[in-house]
């Protein structure tokens, strides 16, 4: 947190010019291309399987744009590295960048994702901390699996103002979320990203495309995404099972509430009848009691986890939809090539 606050204070009027606008665009020609390549390189070097890599985004706010011009990764450390101080590490990195006149202001963070499994409580808590300290902060989500299918998958997200208020109150009860009108659809807001390359990079990419073999291009028509589709379906079923367990917990809570209401009603009836009998005998009625102390209401299960699971289910469904659309497009292209060759 110390490094985030330092970044916010050092930004001065630059951050103040666009507070609350909630817009971000990655610009800056080759500098932004370098940021993307650094994120990809970080995953290729340290990301293995479903292991997530994370890092810090650096840049500045210009008008209504958040320009991300640099980044550095969080180092991988094990439980044996008990002396490692992550906040101190960030402070040292930002201080070193400032000494060599490189953008060092903290504007968010990034992380990789495994089959789109990024809608978690850990991401929610981290983004709340960043956004609470620096209002313009975003989280960049890099999906290496989608990128391997032929298109760069990089998205930026922020917490919506409604969810920020709920997180500040730390009240995730069903009543609080219902009052704030929070659903999984309005928990996160996606921020548009614009990546601009220099003209030299565009020329180089065009030359590389010209030199690529035609046979290599035909490999894009392979239906190799079937494995990814199966994995997404498995993850989707796991999340549906978790949602079913949460529904069972909530139904149990509702039954306990109904049972307690019945017990309270029966208790009040018995006291009322006893007071009638005491009054007929000329005795004083029973003293008033705080019935809420006798019947403490059961604690409702927190609903934030259910909302996050619902959001993750929606993400998996979108992934499956995209995989199916890609396969259908490849089938049409393969058929068109076959007809052309015949």
């Amino acid at each position: 947190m110390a490094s985030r606050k330092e970044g916010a204070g050092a930004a001065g009027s630059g951050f103040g010019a666009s507070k609350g606008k909630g817009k971000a665009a990655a610009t800056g020609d080759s500098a932004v291309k370098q940021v993307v390549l650094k994120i990809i390189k970080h995953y290729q070097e340290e990301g293995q399987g479903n292991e997530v890599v994370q890092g810090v985004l650096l840049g500045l706010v210009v008008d209504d744009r958040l320009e991300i011009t640099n980044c550095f990764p969080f180092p991988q450390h094990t439980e044996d590295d008990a002396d490692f101080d992550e906040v101190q590490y960030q402070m040292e990195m930002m201080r070193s960048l400032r000494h060599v006149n490189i953008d060092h202001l903290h504007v968010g963070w990034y992380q990789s994702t495994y089959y789109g499994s990024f809608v978690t409580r850990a991401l929610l808590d981290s983004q709340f901390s960043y956004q609470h300290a620096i209002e313009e902060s975003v989280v960049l989500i890099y999906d290496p699996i989608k990128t391997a299918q032929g298109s760069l998958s990089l998205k930026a997200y922020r917490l919506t103002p409604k969810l920020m208020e709920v997180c500040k109150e730390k009240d995730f009860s069903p009543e609080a979320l219902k009052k704030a009108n929070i659903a999984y659809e309005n928990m996160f807001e996606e921020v548009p990203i614009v990546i601009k390359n220099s003209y030299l990079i565009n020329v180089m990419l065009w030359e590389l495309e010209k030199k690529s073999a035609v046979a290599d291009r035909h490999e894009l028509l392979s239906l190799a995404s079937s494995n990814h589709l199966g994995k997404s379906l498995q993850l989707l079923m796991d999340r549906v099972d978790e949602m079913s367990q949460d529904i069972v917990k909530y139904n149990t809570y509702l039954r306990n509430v109904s049972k307690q209401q019945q017990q309270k009603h029966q208790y009040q009836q018995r006291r009322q009848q006893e007071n009638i009998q005491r009054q007929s005998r000329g005795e004083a009625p029973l003293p008033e009691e705080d019935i809420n102390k006798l019947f403490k209401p059961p604690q409702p299960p927190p609903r934030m986890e259910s909302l996050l699971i619902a959001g993750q289910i929606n993400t998996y469904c979108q992934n499956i939809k995209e995989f199916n659309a890609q396969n259908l497009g490849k089938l049409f292209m393969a058929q068109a090539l076959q007809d052309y060759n015949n």
Side-chain angles (χ1 to χ4, degrees):
M1 288 300 296
S3 59
R4 296 168 192 152
K5 291 180 180 178
E6 176 185 325
S13 60
F15 273 94
S18 64
K19 276 192 174 182
K21 294 187 179 181
K23 298 179 181 178
T27 60
D29 294 339
S30 60
V32 174
K33 183 67 175 177
Q34 184 182 11
V35 171
V36 176
L37 292 178
K38 281 184 177 181
I39 296 175
I40 295 175
K41 182 182 178 183
H42 183 198
Y43 175 80
Q44 290 177 344
E45 290 179 348
E46 298 186 4
Q48 299 178 358
N50 59 353
E51 188 172 351
V52 173
V53 299
Q54 298 176 332
V56 175
L57 297 175
L58 306 173
L60 69 162
V61 173
V62 179
D63 297 330
D64 61 348
R65 304 189 312 275
L66 176 64
E67 294 191 357
I68 301 171
T69 57
N70 202 357
C71 68
F72 62 85
F74 289 144
Q76 295 283 355
H77 57 276
T78 62
E79 296 179 356
D80 297 334
D81 303 329
D83 297 334
F84 179 77
D85 190 339
E86 188 172 292
V87 175
Q88 184 64 28
Y89 168 79
Q90 295 182 43
M91 293 280 289
E92 291 295 333
M93 284 293 298
M94 295 168 69
R95 190 176 295 113
S96 299
L97 292 172
R98 181 172 54 192
H99 287 164
V100 294
N101 200 25
I102 296 178
D103 288 340
H104 63 280
L105 302 181
H106 213 154
V107 296
W109 61 297
Y110 70 85
Q111 81 163 43
S112 64
T113 182
Y114 178 70
Y115 286 95
S117 305
F118 63 91
V119 186
T120 62
R121 185 60 181 271
L123 182 135
L124 174 67
D125 294 339
S126 297
Q127 181 57 26
F128 171 74
S129 298
Y130 275 89
Q131 209 165 317
H132 181 67
I134 305 173
E135 188 175 352
E136 292 82 6
S137 296
V138 298
V139 53
L140 286 182
I141 302 296
Y142 168 65
D143 193 330
I145 296 176
K146 283 188 178 180
T147 301
Q149 299 301 312
S151 61
L152 176 64
S153 179
L154 193 67
K155 294 184 178 182
Y157 292 97
R158 287 169 49 84
L159 302 185
T160 59
K162 289 183 178 180
L163 186 57
M164 285 293 295
E165 292 298 324
V166 172
C167 291
K168 288 179 183 178
E169 298 295 333
K170 296 182 179 180
D171 184 5
F172 303 118
S173 63
E175 292 78 11
L177 295 177
K178 182 178 180 180
K179 182 179 179 180
N181 195 23
I182 295 293
Y184 72 88
E185 297 95 338
N186 56 9
M187 294 177 63
F188 299 91
E189 57 182 359
E190 184 175 353
V191 183
I193 298 178
V194 178
I195 300 178
K196 293 184 178 180
N197 295 329
S198 67
Y199 294 113
L200 291 177
I201 291 179
N202 288 332
V203 171
M204 183 190 69
L205 294 175
W206 184 74
E207 288 292 335
L208 290 175
E209 184 178 2
K210 282 182 59 179
K211 294 178 181 179
S212 63
V214 177
D216 294 337
R217 298 181 189 178
H218 287 176
E219 292 180 1
L220 295 176
L221 302 180
S222 173
L223 301 181
S225 61
S226 58
N227 292 334
H228 301 309
L229 180 61
K231 185 62 178 178
S232 296
L233 286 171
Q234 181 62 49
L235 292 171
L236 175 60
M237 290 188 292
D238 293 341
R239 291 298 177 272
V240 170
D241 289 341
E242 292 179 7
M243 178 62 74
S244 299
Q245 294 175 6
D246 278 1
I247 292 175
V248 170
K249 293 179 182 178
Y250 188 68
N251 288 335
T252 302
Y253 161 74
L254 293 179
R255 287 195 297 270
N256 291 336
V257 170
S258 177
K259 182 179 179 180
Q260 189 182 73
Q261 291 294 334
Q262 294 178 357
Q263 292 174 349
K264 288 171 64 176
H265 182 67
Q266 294 173 357
Y267 177 79
Q268 290 174 337
Q269 283 186 334
R270 288 197 301 268
R271 283 184 60 87
Q272 186 178 5
Q273 292 176 358
E274 187 172 353
N275 282 333
I276 293 175
Q277 295 176 358
R278 291 172 68 90
Q279 186 178 5
S280 63
R281 295 195 299 266
E283 299 177 357
L286 295 173
E288 295 291 335
E289 294 181 346
D290 188 356
I291 196 170
N292 291 325
K293 291 183 179 180
L294 296 176
F295 298 92
K296 293 183 179 180
Q299 290 294 326
R303 301 297 291 166
M304 181 55 68
E305 295 297 333
S306 299
L307 289 179
L308 292 171
I309 293 174
Q312 191 60 64
I313 288 175
N314 182 65
T315 301
Y316 288 143
C317 291
Q318 292 295 329
N319 290 344
I320 293 171
K321 183 179 178 181
E322 291 177 7
F323 282 136
N324 287 334
Q326 289 176 0
N327 286 339
L328 186 61
K330 290 177 181 179
L331 286 174
F332 281 131
M333 291 177 65
Q335 184 63 44
L337 282 175
Q338 184 179 359
D339 294 344
Y340 176 78
N341 293 331
N342 293 336

